[in-house]
Amino acid sequence: MSDNDKTLCVVGASGLVGSHIVKAALAAGFRVNGTLRNADDPQKAPYLMALPGAAERLTLYSADMATSADFDAPLAGCDAVFIACLVPIYAGRDGTPAREMDEDRGWAEIIRPIEDGCLNIMQAAARQDVKNVIVCSSTSSTNPREPVAVKNEIDHPSDLQHQLSQKKYTAAEKTVMEASARAFAKEHGQRLVIFLPTMMLGPTILPEHANRAFHKALADMLEGKKGWHDTVPAGSMSVSHLDDVAALFLAGYETPEASGRYFAVYDSWPWRDIYAEIGKHVPASALPAPLDGEPEMPTGFDFTRRDSLGVTLRDIPTTLKETLDWLKTKPFG
Ligand SMILES: NC(=O)c1ccc[n+]([C@@H]2O[C@H](COP(=O)([O-])OP(=O)(O)OC[C@H]3O[C@@H](n4cnc5c(N)ncnc54)[C@H](OP(=O)(O)O)[C@@H]3O)[C@@H](O)[C@H]2O)c1
């Protein structure tokens, strides 16, 4: 409990990533101000308030990133803000998929809300003199036009013009947001640390997170149902454990010289190998049909910057086993 004189703000405290940052920050002895859009949400708040240390040191606030002033109260007196609410937008206000939009709509309805939301929170942080800003982005901002065998966070940003020309507005959100956040932080003397995860697994804190995306696919597979794929894809997936991602976020905050982008993935594996691990835990009937041929080369990462933060990450078999063992217990009934 060495750090309980400091308060950290977690924006998106009810999110998959944010709830794990809250948990890790409480475990490290910090006071935490968490935000979600409705702090009284009965499907969310009780699970956060049940975390160890929450009753004494967690306060929840209602705040929407569209309104900068919402963040003045939760940021007052904080030493850092963790921004984990920049959820990808896949469709416009009328339901039009992002990939069917022209560029004007792509900017207005997909890219700008994320960029503006992040800047609204950073503006509140500047008003409240919060100097440490840690942002959750994603590896979608690390896909250069010409793929490289081994990518790093510095030399291999996504090519915005290419993303726009391909109507990849959802991926471009993060590319644009990161550039604007960098410029804002520089102008206002904030230290900006950006984490880049892909698929995150492990036990979840809120029930809704166990019931979506690959967590849901794994739960279905434990019951013998097909998950995401009918056939093993030729491609790969990058994976990390939620608690390790949260540990990276805290390390990014607690390492004063940390700045800029950091991968938050353990590694990328061919789906073939991921399903081979899953096959050790689920009925054979749930597995996708085998891949015909050899898998493509998985994404290669240079983890020098990630490892400079001193966090040891679980390997993929351990993360999958922990997730499946936990799902087997039907943790939320
Ligand atoms: N999940 C993944 O697999 C994954 C993979 C790669 C990167 N990421 C990145 O991780 C970050 C967090 O994603 P996540 O999966 O943790 O998201 P999530 O589970 O959907 O949670 C999003 C959080 O943001 C809050 N939020 C949503 N809209 C908001 C708004 N307009 N204003 C303020 N708060 C708002 C939500 O609270 P309420 O809804 O309760 O208001 C919730 O606390 C994102 O940047 C995402 O791109 C996620």
Side-chain angles (χ1 to χ4, degrees):
M1 295 290 165
S2 57
D3 285 308
N4 54 11
D5 57 324
K6 293 213 176 91
T7 305
L8 310 180
C9 178
V10 180
V11 178
S14 55
L16 181 71
V17 175
S19 57
H20 282 81
I21 301 173
V22 171
K23 177 181 147 190
L26 289 171
F30 293 101
R31 283 193 300 260
V32 180
N33 291 346
T35 82
L36 56 164
R37 281 168 296 179
N38 174 9
D40 299 318
D41 189 325
Q43 306 301 323
K44 301 180 182 185
Y47 295 96
L48 295 168
M49 295 313 300
L51 287 167
E56 303 81 28
R57 287 179 282 114
L58 175 63
T59 308
L60 296 178
Y61 294 80
S62 299
D64 192 311
M65 66 178 179
T67 307
S68 183
D70 282 0
F71 294 91
D72 284 321
L75 281 167
C78 286
D79 196 46
V81 58
F82 296 76
I83 301 178
C85 65
L86 306 173
V87 183
I89 303 172
Y90 293 102
R93 288 183 280 271
D94 65 358
T96 304
R99 63 185 175 280
E100 291 175 15
M101 292 180 176
D102 63 22
E103 199 174 311
D104 286 348
R105 277 195 77 182
W107 277 101
E109 295 181 45
I110 306 294
I111 298 173
R112 290 283 186 231
I114 296 298
E115 180 193 27
D116 292 347
C118 184
L119 291 177
N120 282 340
I121 298 162
M122 292 179 76
Q123 277 155 7
R127 286 194 296 277
Q128 299 300 327
D129 203 26
V130 178
K131 294 289 187 206
N132 300 298
V133 179
I134 300 94
V135 173
C136 189
S137 184
S138 90
T139 49
S140 66
S141 64
T142 68
N143 295 322
R145 184 169 187 163
E146 296 302 330
V148 292
V150 178
K151 64 183 180 181
N152 69 54
E153 303 92 329
I154 308 293
D155 303 320
H156 304 120
S158 295
D159 179 333
L160 177 62
Q161 290 314 318
H162 186 61
Q163 287 178 317
L164 296 175
S165 71
Q166 301 290 303
K167 295 185 179 288
K168 291 184 176 173
Y169 307 121
T170 306
E173 280 170 7
K174 294 293 199 299
T175 311
V176 171
M177 173 279 290
E178 286 181 22
S180 298
R182 242 187 332 268
F184 186 93
K186 192 169 175 203
E187 193 182 333
H188 292 83
Q190 295 170 332
R191 180 172 69 95
L192 177 67
V193 182
I194 297 173
F195 283 102
L196 310 159
T198 311
M199 185 164 84
M200 291 163 279
L201 296 173
T204 73
I205 294 162
L206 274 72
E208 67 173 79
H209 301 140
N211 201 27
R212 71 179 200 198
F214 206 60
H215 278 92
K216 169 83 167 77
L218 289 173
D220 285 347
M221 291 174 78
L222 281 171
E223 293 179 4
K225 299 181 211 153
K226 282 272 187 273
W228 266 5
H229 301 111
D230 291 328
T231 303
V232 173
S236 59
M237 177 54 80
S238 305
V239 181
S240 49
H241 191 290
L242 283 157
D243 286 328
D244 298 339
V245 171
L248 284 168
F249 274 79
L250 272 200
Y253 160 60
E254 292 187 294
T255 307
E257 61 276 16
S259 171
R261 307 204 304 167
Y262 295 83
F263 290 128
V265 302
Y266 170 74
D267 207 353
S268 193
W269 264 24
W271 275 110
R272 182 197 62 183
D273 299 352
I274 291 174
Y275 277 115
E277 281 302 320
I278 294 171
K280 296 177 184 170
H281 306 276
V282 308
S285 60
L287 290 172
L291 172 66
D292 187 13
E294 282 303 300
E296 295 158 10
M297 188 71 94
T299 311
F301 293 93
D302 176 345
F303 288 126
T304 307
R305 283 176 59 77
R306 180 199 73 182
D307 292 342
S308 73
L309 296 175
V311 174
T312 304
L313 284 83
R314 292 162 181 81
D315 63 19
I316 292 175
T318 304
T319 294
L320 286 169
K321 181 176 182 325
E322 237 185 78
T323 310
L324 286 157
D325 284 349
W326 175 77
L327 286 168
K328 277 180 204 163
T329 69
K330 299 204 179 297
F332 300 114

